[in-house]
Amino acid sequence: MEIALLNYTDLKVCSHAIRTCWQSFEKSDNGGEKDKELIDRVGNKYKHASTLEHLSYTFYIKGISRACLQELARHRVASLSVKSSRYTLKELKSEEGFLPFNEANLNRAEKFLVMTENSKVNEASLRALENLRLLLQENISNDFAKFAMPESYKTELTWSINARSLQNFLHLRSSRSALWEIRNLAYAIFEAIPKEQQFIFEDLIFKE
């Protein structure tokens, strides 16, 4: 998977929101160490996490499976704009066949599929990909053919989320009980957050 941070809110916006409550603007250091300590104290230690909603992040996420996307969509206080299978299945139509099941065809299929550590699952995904390709070859409408897409089929999206919701996502999805793919995504998202803002999340994320 590939993760790119497209946009994020400056810390001084969050500190300004917090200082609004006490009208302590004169104590601000414009997003510096004083403001960071304030955000950590009020937002994290004192649990006034609503103040963290003034911080938001937009990521471009590429190369996750539809199975992972389904789990990501459960985090509802976020906005997702997802690659349309309806309009983009043509990318598969012109490909050569993916059978028999061998290393060369698996390597070619990685353009479209997220592979697992289980060879039997990978073989089933490859056969599903070939079935989908054959449906497209028969000029079956994408509106119908998309129902035959395997869960391992890759997709991409632009994802916007506020810091409070992102804390929840990182805490739940970095857990060892989380699906391995979304756990990898959680760590990749954390690494994409600007270093000066990682303090907001680092105590919530499970260590690898």
Side-chain angles (χ1 to χ4, degrees):
M1 62 180 69
E2 299 175 31
I3 312 297
L5 178 64
L6 301 181
N7 193 40
Y8 63 96
T9 309
D10 195 299
L11 285 175
K12 63 185 179 184
V13 174
C14 184
S15 62
H16 186 280
I18 294 172
R19 293 190 186 284
T20 300
C21 302
W22 295 280
Q23 294 291 289
S24 61
F25 304 119
E26 72 282 355
K27 296 181 180 180
S28 172
D29 59 354
N30 202 35
E33 291 306 311
K34 287 184 179 179
D35 284 349
K36 288 171 68 174
E37 188 279 330
L38 177 72
I39 293 168
D40 187 44
R41 174 162 43 88
V42 175
N44 286 341
K45 293 184 175 67
Y46 294 170
K47 305 300 182 184
H48 294 300
S50 61
T51 60
L52 302 179
E53 294 175 4
H54 295 284
L55 295 173
S56 62
Y57 307 84
T58 298
F59 302 92
Y60 185 54
I61 302 171
K62 185 177 180 180
I64 64 170
S65 70
R66 288 164 61 86
C68 186
L69 173 65
Q70 185 175 5
E71 297 219 351
L72 188 64
R74 293 174 182 171
H75 296 268
R76 291 184 292 277
V77 187
S79 297
L80 300 83
S81 296
V82 183
K83 177 182 178 182
S84 171
S85 56
R86 183 180 188 186
Y87 291 105
T88 61
L89 269 180
K90 60 184 179 182
E91 66 188 6
L92 178 62
K93 186 175 181 178
S94 60
E95 293 286 328
E96 296 180 4
F98 292 97
L99 296 177
F101 179 66
N102 56 41
E103 186 174 354
N105 284 330
L106 272 177
N107 289 338
R108 286 199 307 115
E110 285 185 357
K111 175 182 176 182
F112 301 99
L113 302 177
V114 172
M115 298 301 179
T116 74
E117 296 178 355
N118 190 299
S119 62
K120 290 185 177 180
V121 172
N122 292 340
E123 181 175 2
S125 290
L126 194 69
R127 293 187 183 281
L129 183 67
E130 176 62 8
N131 289 339
L132 176 60
R133 189 190 71 85
L134 292 174
L135 291 175
L136 296 171
Q137 290 276 312
E138 294 180 26
N139 292 319
I140 292 176
S141 166
N142 287 0
D143 281 347
F144 295 111
K146 65 185 289 184
F147 284 86
M149 294 176 74
E151 286 283 77
S152 56
Y153 201 92
K154 285 182 177 179
T155 190
E156 51 199 75
L157 68 148
T158 298
W159 189 52
S160 296
I161 188 168
N162 70 56
R164 185 182 192 178
S165 294
L166 186 54
Q167 282 186 332
N168 176 259
F169 168 80
L170 292 174
H171 182 65
L172 291 178
R173 300 306 186 174
S174 63
S175 168
R176 285 188 171 85
S177 63
L179 176 73
W180 60 269
E181 188 184 4
I182 204 168
R183 190 166 191 249
N184 291 342
L185 176 61
Y187 286 116
I189 289 290
F190 177 74
E191 290 301 322
I193 296 169
K195 298 297 183 184
E196 68 273 15
Q197 297 196 15
Q198 289 184 353
F199 74 93
I200 299 171
F201 310 97
E202 59 189 357
D203 289 341
L204 294 168
I205 193 166
F206 288 89
K207 305 305 179 185
E208 290 188 78

